[in-house]
């Protein structure tokens, strides 16, 4: 009985204590929670001030990585300005021009309570994860005093990419699109889960102008003046392969890069930050190549790639620069265009097989025809494979969303043939590695004599390639010359004259192909000397556009023949009625005697019918000998009506 009473006493006492504890706890919660919240907020304010002071003491706003993350560049007259033009990229109103204010504001944004973030918006820690990562490394955030916010969208994005490598991709030249005349560079993010054998399923990263016109003139004007917004985009890599390899038939060169996983992660976190902003797009400066180099510098700040460029950033130059970095490129892969694949098969054909293929393309025979059936099974397979490449290319030209239109009879005939194919030696390279080409800038010194006196010539152009230069790394059938200025000092008359100023000169010689007949074309806009007139080296503005035909016996033949019919207009106060309008007919040939020695012969008949009317012949002999990749010497003999001149020049590319 006593035991029971003792138990009852303790049980009653314990219950009372427990109830009192609960009441006291509740009273404490309701009375003191606001003070705790206030204390926590106060501590966060103090900690933010500490971090901002530490950042100032460490001069983090002056660090190279901070400048790279915010795209800061030094102004000519002092100070800094960010290349990013979307203000949402900055946390401070002065962030575009003040790195220190932006750093302080960025730290403050990391302390914003999640409840204060607008619905549908990301927390600043999630909007700017690369900045958070770098500042955390520098300041060692106390995570008990700075709450790390969950970033579900970012985490899913990174998990889907699962990066294990990065590849720089160069798409070869495409003269039918002003944006692609100099080639194009983009990145591929190589995924661990997809493996190296399935690169088409990886993701590509592209920077390009958001264009609002298809007019070539307006595109060029807006691209030169920064009137387009340039934005980053990420997409399945196979879509770009489809566009470049198949639709535009451009070979791709893939340069696999060597980065650590941490470097790759930093680059991708920064890419995430860039997704919400834009840049003013400049065709020759802030273009695809420039911003791709900036991504590589984020991955490895020791790379100083952008510092190598002043006026222009051209895709081939960026590839050369990447190749020049020791240990950065670990492998190079050639991905041929669909037409290159077809031409590789055509190179393996004998004359009879080529004729059968041509008849299939023109619809004169079918796979059931006797002429085709009489071929050996191996020949049939080779011809049908090339024919299917042709059909795939033609289907892409129709820009249709439908499947590739290969007739059932062709597929059925191919299915009955052996699946193996002779691939000894691999596929032929129909383009050469862009990193092996000469420099895009050219400086020229020449010595010459005309019908009246000797002269010296000094010329410079920032871009790009002419048909007399070595074509390794370039399209062997085209030239693009931009801003080519030449001054001459005439010794007897002791005067300096502007001999020429080629604003833009493009020539596309497309050799005749019975399967894909296309015209050659050329365009020239600039200022030239009127050599057919005795006006003391007077100048005229000229505009020329021509169409023609060219012929090469086979793809690797050293001989290229061409002919053009041009429309011409020249404007000068030294001409009657200040202008003359007409045209010309020109025929010519290029011949590679050796890989270093090239010869050109050309002749034309000029006819001007409107304005200052005149008719006369011109002829030209030009030879080039390459001393090295970036140095050649040339001899040029020209005749314009009754005016003759000869020039010996040394040309240095850099």
């Amino acid at each position: 009985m006593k035991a029971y009473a003792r138990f009852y006493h303790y049980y009653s006492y314990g219950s009372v204590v427990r109830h009192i504890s609960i009441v006291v706890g509740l009273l404490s919660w309701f009375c003191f929670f606001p003070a705790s919240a206030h204390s926590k907020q106060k501590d966060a304010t103090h900690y933010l001030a500490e971090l901002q002071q530490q950042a100032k003491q460490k001069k983090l706003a002056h660090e190279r990585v901070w400048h790279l993350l915010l795209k800061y560049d030094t102004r000519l007259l002092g100070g800094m300005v960010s290349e990013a033009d979307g203000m949402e990229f900055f946390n401070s109103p002065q962030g575009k021009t003040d790195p220190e204010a932006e750093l302080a504001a960025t730290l403050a944004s990391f302390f914003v309570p999640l409840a204060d973030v607008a619905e549908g918006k990301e927390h600043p820690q999630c909007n700017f994860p690369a900045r958070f990562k770098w500042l955390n490394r520098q300041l060692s955030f106390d995570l008990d005093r700075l709450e790390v916010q969950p970033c579900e969208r970012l985490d899913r994005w990174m998990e889907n990419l699962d990066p294990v490598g990065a590849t720089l991709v160069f798409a070869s030249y495409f003269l039918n699109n002003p944006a692609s005349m100099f080639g194009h560079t983009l990145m591929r993010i190589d995924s661990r889960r997809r493996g190296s054998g399935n690169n088409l399923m990886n993701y590509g990263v592209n920077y390009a102008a958001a264009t609002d016109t298809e007019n070539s003139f307006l595109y060029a004007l807006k691209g030169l003046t920064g009137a387009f917004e340039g934005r980053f985009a990420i997409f399945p890599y196979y879509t770009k392969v489809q566009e470049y390899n198949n639709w535009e038939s451009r070979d791709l060169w893939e340069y696999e890069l060597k980065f650590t996983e941490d470097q790759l992660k930093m680059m991708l976190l920064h890419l995430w930050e860039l997704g919400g902003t834009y840049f003013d797009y400049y065709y020759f400066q802030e273009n695809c190549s420039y911003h791709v180099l900036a991504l590589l510098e984020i991955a490895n700040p020791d790379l100083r790639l952008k510092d190598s460029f002043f006026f222009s950033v051209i895709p081939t130059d960026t590839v050369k620069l990447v190749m020049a970095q020791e240990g950065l490129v670990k492998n190079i892969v050639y991905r041929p265009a669909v037409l290159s694949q077809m031409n590789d098969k055509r190179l393996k054909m004998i004359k009879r097989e080529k004729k059968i293929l041509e008849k299939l393309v023109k619809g004169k025979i079918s796979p059931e025809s006797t002429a085709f059936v009489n071929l050996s099974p191996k020949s049939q397979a080779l011809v049908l494979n090339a024919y299917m490449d042709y059909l795939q290319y033609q289907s892409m030209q129709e820009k249709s969303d439908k499947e590739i239109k290969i007739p059932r009879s062709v597929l059925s005939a191919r299915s009955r043939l052996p699946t193996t194919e002779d691939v000894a030696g691999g596929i032929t390279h129909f383009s050469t590695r862009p990193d092996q080409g000469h420099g895009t800038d050219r400086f020229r010194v020449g010595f010459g004599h005309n019908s009246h006196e000797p002269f010296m010539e000094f010329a410079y152009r920032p871009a790009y390639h002419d048909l007399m230069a070595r074509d390794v790394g370039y399209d062997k059938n085209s030239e693009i010359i931009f801003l080519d200025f030449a001054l001459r000092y005439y010794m007897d008359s002791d005067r300096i004259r502007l001999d020429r100023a080629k604003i833009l000169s493009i020539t596309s010689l497309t050799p005749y192909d019975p399967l894909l007949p296309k015209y050659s074309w050329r365009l020239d806009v600039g200022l030239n000397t009127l050599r057919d007139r005795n006006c003391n080296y007077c100048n005229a503005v000229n505009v020329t556009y021509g169409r023609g035909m060219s012929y090469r016996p086979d793809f690797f033949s050293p001989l290229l023949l061409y002919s053009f019919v041009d429309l011409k207009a020249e404007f000068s106060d030294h001409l009657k009625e200040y202008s003359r309008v007409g045209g010309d007919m020109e025929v010519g040939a290029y011949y590679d005697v050796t890989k270093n020695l090239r010869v050109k012969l050309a002749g034309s008949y000029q006819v001007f019918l409107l304005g200052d009317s005149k008719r006369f012949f011109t002829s030209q002999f030009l030879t080039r000998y390459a001393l090295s990749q970036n140095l050649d010497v040339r001899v040029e003999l020209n005749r314009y009506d009754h005016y003759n001149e000869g020039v010996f020049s040394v040309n240095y590319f850099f």
Side-chain angles (χ1 to χ4, degrees):
M1 189 70 176
K2 289 181 179 180
Y4 177 81
R6 195 180 299 114
F7 173 79
Y8 180 81
H9 170 75
Y10 282 108
Y11 177 80
S12 300
Y13 177 77
S15 298
V16 171
V17 170
R18 281 196 298 273
H19 281 88
I20 291 173
S21 299
I22 291 171
V23 171
V24 171
L26 289 172
L27 288 173
S28 299
W29 175 265
F30 287 115
C31 293
F32 297 107
F33 176 73
S36 299
H38 177 73
S39 176
K40 188 174 182 180
Q41 182 179 1
K42 187 176 180 181
D43 181 63
T45 303
H46 287 163
Y47 185 46
L48 170 59
E50 289 177 22
L51 290 177
Q52 290 173 334
Q53 184 61 27
Q54 289 178 35
K56 199 168 186 178
Q57 290 173 350
K58 292 185 175 184
K59 298 182 178 180
L60 295 185
H62 302 283
E63 289 283 341
R64 170 171 165 77
V65 175
W66 183 248
H67 292 173
L68 291 174
L69 287 169
L70 273 296
K71 305 300 181 185
Y72 288 123
D73 199 6
T74 305
R75 286 171 162 170
L76 290 176
L77 300 179
M80 306 203 81
V81 63
S82 175
E83 295 164 344
D85 295 295
M87 291 309 296
E88 65 277 6
F89 190 64
F90 308 101
N91 291 292
S92 166
Q94 295 80 38
K96 186 171 175 65
T97 57
D98 191 337
E100 196 157 344
E102 177 60 25
L103 195 149
T106 298
L107 285 171
S109 74
F110 294 158
F111 284 83
V112 171
L114 186 59
D116 291 350
V117 177
E119 187 177 354
K121 298 290 185 180
E122 295 284 338
H123 192 276
Q125 291 183 18
C126 304
N127 272 337
F128 307 111
R131 299 178 211 182
F132 186 87
K133 180 181 176 70
W134 183 74
L135 287 170
N136 187 20
R137 283 178 178 173
Q138 308 308 310
L139 299 172
S140 301
F141 294 153
D142 183 348
L143 302 184
D144 290 329
R145 303 173 71 186
L146 171 59
E147 184 180 359
V148 177
Q149 302 296 335
C151 303
E152 295 180 0
R153 286 183 59 242
L154 173 61
D155 292 341
R156 288 197 301 270
W157 186 71
M158 290 293 293
E159 183 181 357
N160 191 38
L161 291 177
D162 193 19
V164 73
T167 298
L168 177 68
V169 181
F170 176 84
S172 59
Y173 320 95
F174 185 61
L175 295 185
N176 291 333
N177 183 351
S180 304
M181 289 192 299
F182 296 93
H184 181 67
T185 53
L186 63 148
M187 292 281 292
R188 188 184 72 217
I189 307 303
D190 298 323
S191 171
R192 179 184 290 102
R193 71 180 62 175
R194 294 174 182 88
S196 60
N198 200 14
N199 284 327
L200 289 177
M201 301 307 296
N202 288 322
Y203 283 91
V205 177
N206 191 47
Y207 175 82
T211 59
D212 56 8
T213 179
E214 295 184 359
N215 183 285
S216 297
F217 175 77
L218 287 177
Y219 182 95
L221 179 62
K222 289 189 172 185
L224 290 171
T225 57
F228 291 131
E229 289 185 1
R231 293 185 179 271
F232 278 94
I234 190 165
F235 45 81
Y237 181 58
Y238 67 80
T239 61
K240 281 298 175 184
V241 172
Q242 184 83 326
E243 177 184 348
Y244 295 145
N245 259 178
N246 298 339
W247 178 24
E248 297 177 354
S249 196
R250 301 162 67 179
D251 290 344
L252 301 181
W253 288 93
E254 301 171 346
Y255 294 78
E256 297 176 3
L257 307 177
K258 187 176 182 180
F259 289 123
T260 66
E261 289 196 29
D262 186 65
Q263 289 173 331
L264 286 171
K265 184 177 180 181
M266 188 65 173
M267 181 177 72
L268 291 175
L269 292 178
H270 180 61
L271 180 63
W272 175 270
E273 296 181 349
L274 296 175
T277 192
Y278 69 90
F279 303 80
D280 290 341
Y281 182 91
Y282 289 92
Y283 194 40
F284 284 102
Q285 289 88 31
E286 290 184 46
N287 54 22
C288 62
S289 294
Y290 180 84
H291 284 289
V292 164
L293 292 181
L295 281 178
L296 301 185
E297 289 182 336
I298 289 290
N300 182 359
D302 292 334
L303 299 172
R304 290 186 172 268
L305 304 174
K306 295 190 301 179
D307 296 351
S308 301
F309 299 97
F310 174 69
F311 172 73
S312 61
V313 185
I314 295 177
T316 50
D317 285 339
T318 62
V319 176
K320 293 172 197 170
L321 185 60
V322 168
M323 279 294 296
Q325 309 304 308
E326 185 176 356
L328 182 56
V329 177
K330 61 182 181 180
N331 191 32
I332 303 173
V333 176
Y334 171 67
R335 188 181 292 275
V338 63
L339 286 188
S340 295
Q341 297 176 44
M342 180 186 75
N343 288 329
D344 177 66
K345 298 175 180 68
R346 293 169 73 186
L347 282 177
K348 298 172 183 176
M349 294 181 185
I350 61 175
K351 186 175 181 180
R352 182 187 177 194
E353 292 167 341
K354 292 179 181 178
K355 288 292 185 182
I356 294 296
L357 175 61
E358 187 176 337
K359 290 180 179 180
L360 281 172
V361 167
K362 294 181 177 180
K364 295 181 178 179
I365 63 172
S366 70
E368 289 80 23
S369 300
T370 304
F372 178 81
V373 174
N374 286 339
L375 294 174
S376 68
K378 183 178 179 181
S379 293
Q380 290 182 31
L382 180 61
V383 171
L384 282 181
N385 287 343
Y387 184 41
M388 287 191 291
D389 288 339
Y390 169 83
L391 293 173
Q392 180 182 4
Y393 172 75
Q394 291 290 40
S395 177
M396 289 299 300
Q397 300 313 293
E398 297 178 13
K399 301 181 184 180
S400 172
D401 294 332
K402 298 179 181 179
E403 294 183 2
I404 297 169
K405 302 172 183 176
I406 298 180
R408 188 179 188 87
S409 60
V410 176
L411 295 173
S412 177
R414 183 62 187 90
S415 68
R416 295 192 295 268
L417 297 169
T419 58
T420 58
E421 186 177 337
D422 182 14
V423 292
I427 190 168
T428 305
H429 288 186
F430 287 89
S431 63
T432 48
R433 281 171 39 182
D435 61 280
Q436 295 179 338
H438 61 71
T440 53
D441 291 71
R442 189 192 75 173
F443 181 71
R444 165 185 169 114
V445 177
F447 305 88
H449 202 294
N450 59 29
S451 297
H452 309 295
E453 59 184 317
F455 59 84
M456 295 182 64
E457 180 177 293
F458 303 92
Y460 169 74
R461 71 166 190 241
Y464 172 63
H465 171 71
D466 62 89
L467 281 162
M468 286 304 297
R470 287 191 65 185
D471 53 33
V472 175
Y474 295 89
D475 183 352
K476 64 188 298 182
N477 299 318
S478 66
E479 74 175 16
I480 304 174
I481 300 172
F482 180 70
L483 296 181
D484 184 10
F485 292 92
L487 291 174
R488 285 186 177 181
Y489 170 63
Y490 293 95
M491 299 177 182
D492 290 352
S493 55
D494 190 26
R495 62 192 305 184
I496 297 176
R497 299 290 296 174
L498 178 64
D499 181 67
R500 66 180 178 276
K502 285 184 178 291
I503 305 303
L504 180 64
S505 179
I506 305 173
T507 301
S508 175
L509 299 175
T510 307
Y512 173 75
D513 186 335
L515 300 188
L516 297 164
K518 292 182 179 180
Y519 286 105
S520 299
W521 64 275
R522 64 184 179 185
L523 169 71
D524 186 81
V525 179
L527 184 146
N528 278 329
T529 297
L530 289 170
R531 289 178 170 82
D532 63 295
R533 298 183 64 85
N534 187 18
C535 57
N536 292 320
Y537 312 116
C538 58
N539 298 125
V541 175
N542 74 284
V543 179
T544 302
Y545 178 76
R547 302 290 294 270
M549 297 289 293
S550 57
Y551 173 76
R552 193 185 289 276
D554 61 63
F555 190 87
F556 297 102
S557 171
L559 176 65
L560 175 64
L561 304 172
Y562 72 88
S563 63
F564 277 103
V565 175
D566 300 310
L567 296 175
K568 302 172 71 78
E570 296 182 341
F571 306 92
S572 172
D573 55 4
H574 295 276
L575 294 171
K576 295 177 183 178
E577 301 180 26
Y578 302 102
S579 65
R580 60 184 185 184
V581 179
D584 71 52
M585 296 181 62
E586 180 178 330
V587 294
Y590 292 89
Y591 186 76
D592 291 326
V593 181
T594 67
K595 68 177 184 178
N596 293 322
L597 180 61
R598 176 170 292 180
V599 175
K600 175 187 177 183
L601 287 171
S604 70
Y605 181 59
Q606 313 262 348
V607 179
F608 293 98
L609 300 174
L610 302 178
D612 194 344
S613 60
K614 190 173 184 180
R615 301 167 184 261
F616 60 93
F617 286 97
T618 71
S619 58
Q620 181 185 56
F621 169 81
L622 181 58
T623 183
R624 175 269 296 161
Y625 186 80
L627 300 172
S628 67
Q629 178 189 35
N630 288 315
L631 184 66
D632 69 42
V633 294
R634 305 184 187 190
V635 175
E636 185 174 353
L637 302 175
N638 294 300
R639 181 177 178 84
Y640 307 90
D641 198 10
H642 299 294
Y643 176 91
N644 301 315
E645 72 173 27
V647 185
F648 170 81
S649 65
V650 179
N651 299 269
Y652 175 63
F653 300 87
F654 58 98

